[in-house]
């Protein structure tokens, strides 16, 4: 046993690290700790002389998983009983203090037991009940996007203020499975300057101290504390204090927080906990012990002006399997976030520009449902299968709310745009992005055999390239129209379809044998279903050597649902093969090639699309998955040397080592390096996945796993038992491949990701009059790296909140033309800075505010 000497020569026991190998994966374990403290006959510890120099803030706490191995309704009951227990302990022990997070919990109390809320508020005012967290729940903080992180604090802090008269000062997320490095800025903007977490632990992430400054890329900092040992303790606390001194005494501070109380299924501080704290206070030579709160701890630390280290990276990794487990929950989260953001943008601008309704309360309820489903055991896919059904219902509700608002808003606009020729068909196409886009849009029209020809025009009578394809139904005369159109920034254009001749299309898309090409690429398909891409601008293949892209690789994955202690998924055991290639759509505007391959009991179908003038290659993926204890990854071996791997993270991006480890990411991953001495790269986007890995030049998306629901090591699966296997059946998602010369920044990848998740919206027009223009734009930004990520009504009135982020890590001066309000704003952005602007709905004045919409 190693010993660490203090200044006077006394020894503190230290953990030895042991390395062992399980299934080929290096794991870290801890040697048992033999306490060096002698115990007297009365049970009291004989403390070394230095122990009295330490001060312990004992934090009464009850970690509550509102869903995990139980449904949310049970979680609601656990909240009620735990809060009542905390109030009872306060009545018994005058000094006892308690901390609790999650605005959702207090909202449940307000709805079901108003008298309890009154009593809690009284204890809050006394300083004995410390509200922490500031968020709606304790969420996963890798998988939600940046705007969802903002909304956790917006709805959380507003609820705390409404119910309890104050906001949380301490951000608290002890059980989340890793923490994105962009969080410090978001926390600062939510009014929280301190953060408390626990995972990853010391065996998973080395940091210079467990109290440190955590800095995000924009330069924002929060003072951050990693909880030693655990956030739970149901036994007498003297052993917990002893453990902290043994393992963590060599720190820049002598003041610690130690957490106690029953948790996970709630419970909180026990009478035995409290009794042991009272006893410990009386022991000679023991550390100074006090009932305390996180707020009191940080007030004390702030006054000491300690020299503390700075960490300016993600706090990763823990439970890498959680980036992929439970496919439909992951997809539901991504789709709901995007749909709600788009709906709010349209309704907020529409409420000012064309008299649309802004359904504020409906949006709030839908967001709060999504935020609840971002609780870490929900979004991580580590809860019981019954909760997966609840999640599907919740995402369905949120998506329906968003889609109803979106189409009603544009319908209100469409009714005011004249469409007067009864012999023509009309539609309005709206671009929800704040820059001009050129897109191929699709819509099914009634277009029967009596029409001898077809012509599509914009509002100025200019002909647009178009083609026809089978509709989605087989009854009647519905046919799919595909047409290529340029749309104004955050604006619309009316399109007209008529029975008339149309000019021929030049430089379209051609299909021959197993290839499809446009003016930019020639794409080929292998017998096993992979694709090769020849970039005509460089004359080189996008993928290295004779390798092809999107190889569907099967990996052995015997890990539990969390994939505890797994760093990388790399044991390849097979691949999808025996592909059947078929052209399912062929025209001058767009071609679609379907590739169907198989592995074991599973079938993979990918529809690859190439449009006339697009530099991006689209894929619609359908996976019928029936494997157990295996993982599916798509491999993209990019043809570059000295590759750099960049991942999108919540409201930012991060470069990570290309060593094959599993990492979390948002909508895209990019590999950029050198090709023939010049900068070249590939960005791969998707609308449903969060797990990625990069080994040198091989970028991989984690598509599916097949664990057992909530299987937690060390429990082992028996081949004789029947289990509930995750993610069996049909799953769909979309991908976009973006080959590029120069870096992803010069190619505006952040803008492309926004377009990918917020494509143009088409709405059919009846025949009617109207006074609005047939094309218009409502908002523009003059810099491509400034992304408008959210437009919404303020929570307290009809003012408009416009949120922007600098997306490329470059300090920028930008101007935003709020055409819909007759107002403009110009200002400077730090690299990666988030700005929230508040537009007064009456005066048109624009002010900078925080994400809580306050000056």
């Amino acid at each position: 046993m190693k010993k660490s000497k203090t200044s006077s020569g006394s020894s503190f026991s230290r953990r030895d690290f042991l390395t062992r190998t399980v299934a080929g994966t290096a794991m870290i374990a801890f040697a048992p700790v033999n306490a060096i403290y002698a115990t007297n006959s009365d049970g009291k510890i004989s403390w070394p002389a230095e122990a009295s120099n330490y001060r312990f803030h004992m934090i009464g706490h009850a970690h509550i998983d509102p869903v995990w191995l139980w449904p949310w309704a049970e979680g609601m009951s656990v909240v009620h009983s735990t809060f009542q227990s905390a109030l009872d302990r306060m009545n018994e022990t005058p000094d006892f203090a308690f901390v609790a997070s999650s605005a959702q919990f207090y909202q449940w109390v307000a709805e079901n037991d108003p008298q309890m809320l009154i009593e809690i508020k009284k204890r809050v005012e006394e300083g004995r009940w410390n509200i922490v967290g500031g968020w709606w729940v304790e969420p996963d903080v890798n998988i939600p996007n940046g705007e969802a992180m903002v909304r956790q604090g917006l709805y959380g802090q507003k609820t705390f203020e409404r119910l309890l008269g104050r906001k949380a000062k301490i951000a608290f997320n002890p059980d989340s499975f890793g923490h994105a490095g962009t969080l410090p800025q978001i926390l600062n903007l939510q009014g929280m300057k301190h953060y408390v977490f626990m995972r990853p632990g010391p065996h998973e992430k080395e940091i210079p101290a467990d109290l440190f400054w955590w800095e995000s890329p924009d330069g924002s900092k929060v003072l951050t504390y990693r909880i030693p040992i655990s956030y739970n303790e149901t036994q007498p606390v003297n052993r917990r204090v002893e453990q902290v001194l043994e393992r963590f005494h060599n720190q820049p501070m002598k003041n610690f927080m130690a957490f106690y109380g029953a948790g996970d299924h709630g419970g909180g501080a026990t009478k035995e906990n409290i009794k042991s704290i009272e006893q410990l206070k009386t022991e000679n030579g023991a550390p100074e012990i006090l009932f305390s709160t996180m707020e009191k701890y940080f007030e004390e630390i702030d006054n000491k002006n300690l020299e503390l280290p700075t960490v300016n990276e993600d706090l990763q990794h823990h439970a890498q399997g959680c980036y992929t487990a439970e496919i439909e929950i992951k997809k539901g989260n991504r789709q709901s976030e995007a749909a709600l953001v788009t709906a709010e943008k349209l309704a907020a601008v529409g409420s000012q520009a064309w008299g649309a309704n802004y359904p504020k309360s409906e949006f709030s309820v839908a967001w709060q449902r999504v935020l609840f489903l971002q609780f870490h055991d929900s979004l991580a896919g580590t809860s019981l299968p019954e909760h997966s059904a609840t999640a599907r219902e919740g995402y369905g509700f949120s998506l329906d709310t968003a889609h109803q608002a979106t189409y009603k808003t544009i319908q209100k606009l469409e009714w005011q745009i004249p469409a007067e020729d009864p012999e023509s068909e009309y539609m309005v196409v709206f671009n929800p992005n704040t820059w001009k886009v050129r897109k191929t849009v699709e819509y099914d029209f009634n277009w029967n055999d009596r029409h001898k020809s077809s012509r599509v025009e914009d509002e100025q009578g200019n002909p647009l390239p178009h083609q026809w394809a089978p509709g989605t139904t087989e009854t009647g005369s519905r046919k799919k129209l595909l047409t290529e159109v340029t749309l104004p920034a955050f604006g619309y254009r009316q399109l007209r379809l008529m029975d008339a001749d149309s000019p021929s299309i030049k430089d379209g898309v051609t299909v021959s044998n197993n290839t499809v090409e446009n003016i930019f690429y020639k794409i080929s398909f292998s017998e096993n279903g992979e694709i090769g891409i020849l970039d005509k601008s460089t004359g080189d293949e996008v993928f290295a050597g004779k390798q092809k892209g999107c190889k569907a690789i099967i990996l052995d994955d015997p890990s539990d649902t969390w994939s505890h202690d797994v760093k990388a998924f790399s044991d390849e055991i097979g691949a999808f093969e025996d592909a059947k290639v078929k052209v399912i759509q062929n025209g001058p505007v767009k071609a679609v090639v379907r590739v169907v391959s198989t592995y074991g009991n599973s079938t993979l179908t990918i529809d690859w699309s190439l449009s006339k003038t697009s530099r991006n290659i689209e894929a619609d993926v359908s996976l019928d998955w029936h494997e157990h204890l295996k993982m599916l990854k798509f491999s993209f071996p990019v043809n570059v040397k000295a590759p750099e791997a960049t991942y999108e993270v919540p409201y930012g991006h991060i470069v990570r080592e290309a060593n094959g480890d599993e990492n979390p990411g948002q909508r895209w991953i990019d590999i950029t390096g050198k090709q023939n001495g010049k900068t070249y790269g590939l960005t791969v986007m998707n609308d449903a996945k969060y797990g990625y890995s990069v080994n040198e030049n091989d970028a991989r998306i984690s598509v599916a796993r097949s664990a057992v629901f909530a299987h937690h090591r060390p429990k082992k699966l028996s081949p004789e038992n029947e289990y509930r296997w995750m993610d069996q059946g049909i799953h769909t998602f979309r991908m976009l491949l973006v080959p590029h010369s120069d870096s992803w920044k010069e190619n505006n990848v952040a803008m492309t990701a926004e377009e990918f998740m917020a494509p143009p919206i088409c709405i059919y027009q009846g025949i009617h009059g109207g006074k609005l223009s047939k094309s218009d734009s409502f908002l523009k930004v003059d810099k491509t790296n400034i992304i408008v990520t959210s437009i919404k009504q303020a929570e307290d009135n009809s003012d408009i909140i416009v949120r922007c982020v600098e997306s490329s890590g470059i300090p920028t001066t930008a101007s935003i033309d709020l055409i819909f309000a007759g107002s403009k704003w110009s200002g400077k952005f730090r690299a990666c800075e988030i700005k929230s602007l508040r537009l007064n709905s009456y005066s048109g004045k624009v002010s900078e505010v925080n994400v809580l919409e306050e000056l």
Side-chain angles (χ1 to χ4, degrees):
M1 179 77 66
K2 290 184 179 179
K3 302 287 180 77
S4 171
K5 296 289 184 179
T6 63
S7 57
S8 64
S10 297
S11 299
F12 285 101
S13 171
R14 300 290 302 277
R15 279 197 291 197
D16 289 331
F17 289 88
L18 300 180
T19 303
R20 57 194 173 96
T21 299
V22 177
T25 301
M27 301 174 62
I28 299 296
F30 293 117
V33 175
N34 297 316
I36 65 166
Y37 305 103
T39 303
N40 300 327
S41 59
D42 60 0
K44 294 184 178 181
I45 293 173
S46 178
W47 299 90
E50 288 71 26
S52 60
N53 295 332
Y54 292 85
R55 179 175 166 90
F56 276 78
H57 292 250
M58 305 305 297
I59 309 297
H61 173 241
H63 181 64
I64 300 175
D65 292 324
V67 293
W68 182 29
L69 307 180
W70 43 85
W72 71 270
E74 184 173 331
M76 184 187 291
S77 299
V78 168
V79 167
H80 188 267
S81 59
T82 300
F83 281 14
Q84 185 58 61
S85 175
L87 291 169
D88 291 344
R89 301 291 82 76
M90 287 182 173
N91 290 333
E92 297 164 357
T93 306
D95 293 341
F96 171 70
F98 181 71
V99 302
S101 71
S102 303
Q104 173 70 89
F105 297 172
Y106 295 85
Q107 183 63 43
W108 283 340
V109 171
E111 293 167 355
N112 296 322
D113 193 343
Q115 186 57 44
M116 175 181 280
L117 186 68
I118 292 172
E119 191 171 352
I120 290 173
K121 185 175 181 180
K122 176 184 174 184
R123 298 304 189 185
V124 169
E125 291 170 349
E126 292 174 352
R128 297 178 62 196
W129 186 299
N130 188 193
I131 54 170
V132 294
W135 288 343
W136 195 248
V137 292
E138 292 177 11
D140 185 286
V141 285
N142 282 319
I143 296 173
N145 70 10
E147 186 59 22
M149 300 283 199
V150 165
R151 300 303 176 96
Q152 284 283 352
L154 175 65
Y155 293 113
Q157 293 284 45
K158 293 291 185 184
T159 298
F160 282 136
E161 190 170 38
R162 173 171 53 84
L163 296 179
L164 299 170
R166 64 186 66 191
K167 303 184 188 80
K169 296 181 180 179
I170 313 296
F172 180 58
N173 208 17
D175 202 26
S176 187
F177 307 146
H179 309 259
T182 50
L183 263 179
Q185 179 181 190
I186 295 171
L187 297 175
N188 268 271
L189 293 170
Q190 292 168 342
M192 294 183 283
K193 306 295 185 182
H194 305 88
Y195 191 52
V196 177
F197 76 105
M198 189 179 76
R199 307 183 194 280
H203 63 294
E204 297 166 313
K205 171 74 174 179
E206 290 186 11
I207 50 179
D210 290 294
L211 181 67
F212 58 94
W213 288 105
W214 187 22
E215 183 177 24
S216 58
D218 77 301
S220 301
K221 291 184 178 182
V222 288
L223 187 57
T224 301
Y225 183 88
R226 179 161 68 182
I227 297 172
I229 316 299
S230 175
Y231 52 69
N232 288 338
E233 178 57 80
T234 58
Q235 302 302 315
V237 302
N238 54 354
R239 181 59 187 137
R240 171 57 48 79
V241 172
E242 182 185 2
Q243 286 175 317
V244 174
L245 287 179
E246 287 173 348
R247 303 179 186 180
F248 297 95
H249 76 283
N250 190 21
Q251 299 273 348
M253 71 290 191
K254 293 183 180 293
N255 302 50
F256 291 94
M257 286 189 283
F259 288 69
Y260 67 96
D264 293 342
H265 201 253
T270 66
K271 293 182 179 181
E272 186 176 20
N273 286 153
I274 294 172
K275 180 180 178 182
S276 66
I277 291 172
E278 296 284 18
Q279 177 180 323
L280 196 54
K281 287 181 178 180
T282 67
E283 290 191 7
N284 291 330
E288 184 179 357
I289 304 294
L290 66 153
F291 292 107
S292 190
T293 65
M294 295 186 215
E295 223 169 275
K296 292 177 180 176
Y297 174 78
F298 279 112
E299 286 175 0
E300 191 170 283
I301 290 294
D302 288 343
N303 290 330
K304 289 183 177 294
N305 296 317
L306 298 173
E307 290 188 13
L308 299 172
T310 296
V311 174
N312 51 13
E313 60 186 9
D314 279 6
L315 302 178
Q316 307 289 4
H317 297 84
H318 179 85
Q320 280 93 320
C322 293
Y323 312 149
T324 305
E326 186 50 280
I327 292 171
E328 291 306 310
I329 282 181
K330 302 294 194 295
K331 180 178 178 179
N333 180 74
R334 176 79 58 76
Q335 300 290 318
S336 296
E337 290 172 338
L340 284 168
V341 163
T342 295
E344 286 178 332
K345 286 181 177 179
L346 293 168
V349 172
S351 68
Q352 298 277 310
W354 61 86
N357 176 51
Y358 186 89
K360 183 180 297 186
S361 61
E362 287 91 336
F363 283 146
S364 294
V365 171
W367 265 114
Q368 288 167 17
R369 191 74 189 120
V370 171
L371 299 179
F372 178 78
L373 294 172
Q374 290 178 343
F375 177 74
H376 52 269
D377 280 313
S378 171
L379 198 48
T382 54
S383 54
L384 73 170
E386 291 84 350
H387 176 66
S388 294
T390 297
R392 285 193 293 272
E393 294 171 356
Y395 291 128
F397 167 77
S398 300
L399 285 166
D400 184 60
T401 299
H403 293 154
Q404 289 282 325
T406 292
Y407 284 100
K408 287 180 179 179
T409 298
I410 300 180
Q411 194 80 57
K412 179 79 171 181
L413 173 67
E414 174 273 314
W415 280 357
Q416 300 174 64
I417 301 168
E420 298 174 320
D421 178 11
E423 299 300 320
S424 298
E425 300 276 10
Y426 294 89
M427 70 174 173
V428 170
V429 185
F430 200 104
N431 168 29
N433 299 288
T434 57
W435 53 86
K436 182 171 68 174
V437 302
R438 185 170 181 81
K439 291 290 182 181
T440 298
V441 298
E442 304 179 6
Y443 193 85
D444 282 15
F445 282 99
N446 287 322
W447 199 254
N448 56 33
D449 293 338
R450 70 179 178 83
H451 298 104
K452 303 200 184 308
S453 58
S454 60
R455 178 184 175 93
V456 179
E457 294 181 347
D458 65 16
E459 80 288 352
Q460 296 177 350
N462 299 312
L464 302 177
H466 75 282
Q467 71 186 53
W468 291 96
T472 56
T473 56
E474 297 299 328
T475 300
S477 58
R478 299 289 279 189
K479 295 181 180 179
K480 185 181 297 297
L481 174 73
L482 296 88
T483 186
E484 190 178 81
V485 60
T486 300
L487 299 169
F490 203 86
Y492 66 90
R493 173 155 276 141
Q494 183 192 67
L495 304 187
R496 180 186 181 189
L497 169 64
M498 66 190 76
D499 189 347
D501 291 334
S502 183
S504 60
I505 301 173
K506 297 179 180 179
D507 299 324
V509 186
T510 58
V511 179
S512 62
N513 298 322
N514 274 4
T515 63
V516 58
E517 65 181 299
N518 65 5
I519 59 174
F520 302 113
Y521 307 116
K522 183 176 182 179
I523 302 173
S524 59
F525 302 91
S526 78
E527 61 184 11
N528 287 327
E530 302 100 339
I531 67 168
I533 305 172
L534 173 66
D535 188 333
K536 294 181 180 181
S537 67
T538 65
D540 283 311
E541 293 286 339
V542 171
F543 301 115
K546 296 181 179 180
Q547 300 182 69
K548 300 289 186 179
C550 204
K551 183 177 182 180
I553 297 172
I554 303 296
L555 303 109
D556 187 36
D557 178 17
S559 62
D560 64 8
T561 311
W562 286 257
S563 297
H564 281 108
D565 297 315
V566 174
K567 289 186 176 181
F569 299 93
S570 56
D571 186 5
E572 297 184 19
I573 58 173
F576 278 80
E577 298 176 325
D578 300 324
K580 295 179 176 60
V581 180
K582 180 181 180 180
V583 178
I584 62 172
Q585 200 173 123
N586 186 6
V589 172
K590 182 178 181 180
V592 181
V593 176
R594 175 166 292 170
V595 180
V596 181
S597 56
T598 58
Y599 171 87
N601 297 315
S602 302
T603 303
L604 176 64
T605 303
I606 305 180
D607 289 350
W608 292 99
S609 302
L610 188 63
S611 296
K612 173 179 177 289
T613 59
S614 179
R615 288 186 173 273
N616 306 326
I617 302 156
E618 302 176 54
D620 288 294
V621 183
S622 178
L623 171 68
D624 191 2
W625 182 245
H626 297 281
E627 308 305 317
H628 297 167
L629 299 180
K630 296 179 177 68
M631 174 182 261
L632 169 61
K633 279 179 173 280
F634 286 174
S635 167
F636 299 91
V638 187
N639 182 20
V640 295
K641 295 180 179 179
E644 181 177 83
T646 306
Y647 299 69
E648 185 188 34
V649 296
Y651 271 158
H653 60 272
I654 186 171
V655 175
R656 295 190 175 112
E657 187 177 356
N659 60 3
D661 285 357
E662 192 75 0
N663 282 300
Q666 293 277 310
R667 298 168 297 184
W668 57 267
I669 185 172
D670 180 85
I671 299 296
T672 295
K674 293 297 182 180
Q675 186 183 88
N676 296 325
K678 297 180 180 179
T679 301
Y680 191 84
L682 173 72
T683 305
V684 183
M685 299 181 182
N686 75 86
D687 69 347
K689 307 300 175 184
Y690 295 90
Y692 303 90
S693 61
V694 180
N695 189 8
E696 297 182 348
N697 67 327
D698 186 3
R700 296 184 173 186
I701 299 177
S702 300
V703 176
R705 296 183 61 221
S706 46
V708 170
F709 276 96
H711 168 219
H712 196 296
R713 70 173 178 89
K715 184 175 182 179
K716 295 183 178 180
L717 302 178
S718 169
E720 299 176 357
N721 293 345
E722 291 293 326
Y723 296 104
R724 296 284 294 272
W725 294 93
M726 302 178 74
D727 293 327
Q728 304 296 288
I730 297 175
H731 306 280
T732 62
F733 67 102
R734 297 182 301 125
M735 292 191 303
L736 192 71
L737 307 189
V738 186
H740 55 80
S741 297
D742 298 321
S743 78
W744 63 268
K745 297 179 182 180
E746 282 83 10
N747 285 273
N748 302 320
V749 160
M751 293 172 64
T752 303
E754 294 293 319
E755 293 176 26
F756 180 63
M757 292 304 300
I761 302 157
C762 301
I763 195 163
Y764 179 82
Q765 280 193 289
I767 302 302
H768 54 70
K771 296 182 178 179
L772 290 183
S773 169
K774 294 181 180 181
S775 181
D776 208 348
S777 174
F778 300 100
L779 194 153
K780 297 178 182 177
V781 183
D782 70 343
K783 297 296 172 61
T784 58
N785 60 319
I786 304 300
I787 306 295
V788 174
T789 56
S790 175
I791 309 171
K792 64 183 289 291
Q793 273 193 8
E795 294 300 304
D796 56 356
N797 61 22
S798 61
D799 287 356
I800 302 297
I801 305 296
V802 179
R803 189 148 25 254
C804 319
V805 63
E806 193 288 308
S807 62
S808 296
I810 302 169
T812 301
T813 299
S815 295
I816 300 175
D817 191 351
L818 304 163
I819 304 167
F820 68 93
S823 184
K824 292 184 179 181
W825 176 89
S826 296
K828 294 182 178 179
F829 287 78
R830 300 190 308 274
C832 303
E833 183 181 7
I834 303 163
K835 278 191 185 293
S836 298
L837 308 176
R838 185 167 183 141
L839 170 70
N840 187 293
S841 57
Y842 297 104
S843 69
K845 180 182 177 182
V846 180
S847 305
E848 285 191 43
V849 294
N850 61 20
V851 298
L852 304 183
E853 304 173 359
E854 303 165 344
L855 292 171

